Amino acid sequence: MENQRKFENLLVWQRSVLLTQKIYFHFNVSDDFGFRNQIQRAAISISNNIAEGFDRKSDREFKRFLAIALGSLSEVKSMVITAFHLSYINEEDQQELVGHIDAIGKMTNSLINFLTKELAKNK
């Protein structure tokens, strides 16, 4: 039987991949290579850190990698807001992307809080 404990089953990871797809869609044609490269790398870092932390098989390590993912998420949010101010995206696209970012942030923070409680119980 296949192991059901896989990072691919985490909704927060799935939503992070969807966010990365949206970031690539919105910025793939940007002439600003530096901006495009940075926002795409930060976006993909979110799901990668969730996956890496999950597969460390340690709640403490998973929590640490989730915190790193949150940092990348904040970087993407800052860049999306900046992209709007630079007229790289319109207001509707900014609001859509920020909505996805905020939802992923809430999910990630909830998971961190859960792991914090689990770690405290196991002391």
Side-chain angles (χ1 to χ4, degrees), residues 13-121:
W13 179 85
Q14 295 169 4
R15 293 285 303 265
S16 298
V17 171
L18 178 61
L19 174 64
T20 299
Q21 290 173 316
K22 290 179 178 298
I23 292 295
Y24 269 76
F25 172 79
H26 285 292
F27 297 99
N28 213 30
V29 296
S30 173
D31 292 334
D32 186 340
F33 173 77
F35 189 93
R36 179 181 74 220
N37 185 48
Q38 187 66 28
I39 196 168
Q40 289 174 339
R41 288 169 53 98
I44 205 158
S45 176
I46 300 162
S47 58
N48 285 346
N49 276 296
I50 292 167
E52 185 174 351
F54 184 86
D55 277 344
R56 294 284 177 122
K57 308 290 189 230
S58 155
D59 286 350
R60 188 171 312 287
E61 281 288 291
F62 189 23
K63 183 179 164 186
R64 185 172 75 84
F65 276 87
L66 287 171
I68 295 167
L70 274 179
S72 295
L73 190 65
S74 293
E75 181 179 359
V76 171
K77 184 175 185 177
S78 175
M79 293 189 77
V80 164
I81 293 167
T82 301
F84 169 71
H85 289 288
L86 293 172
S87 299
Y88 290 174
I89 58 174
N90 62 36
E91 187 173 5
E92 183 180 327
D93 291 338
Q94 177 201 2
Q95 289 174 352
E96 176 195 0
L97 291 170
V98 167
H100 285 290
I101 291 164
D102 288 346
I104 293 165
K106 287 178 184 173
M107 295 170 78
T108 306
N109 277 312
S110 292
L111 195 46
I112 288 170
N113 290 338
F114 171 79
L115 291 171
T116 300
K117 290 175 186 169
E118 287 298 302
L119 288 166
K121 274 198 300 189

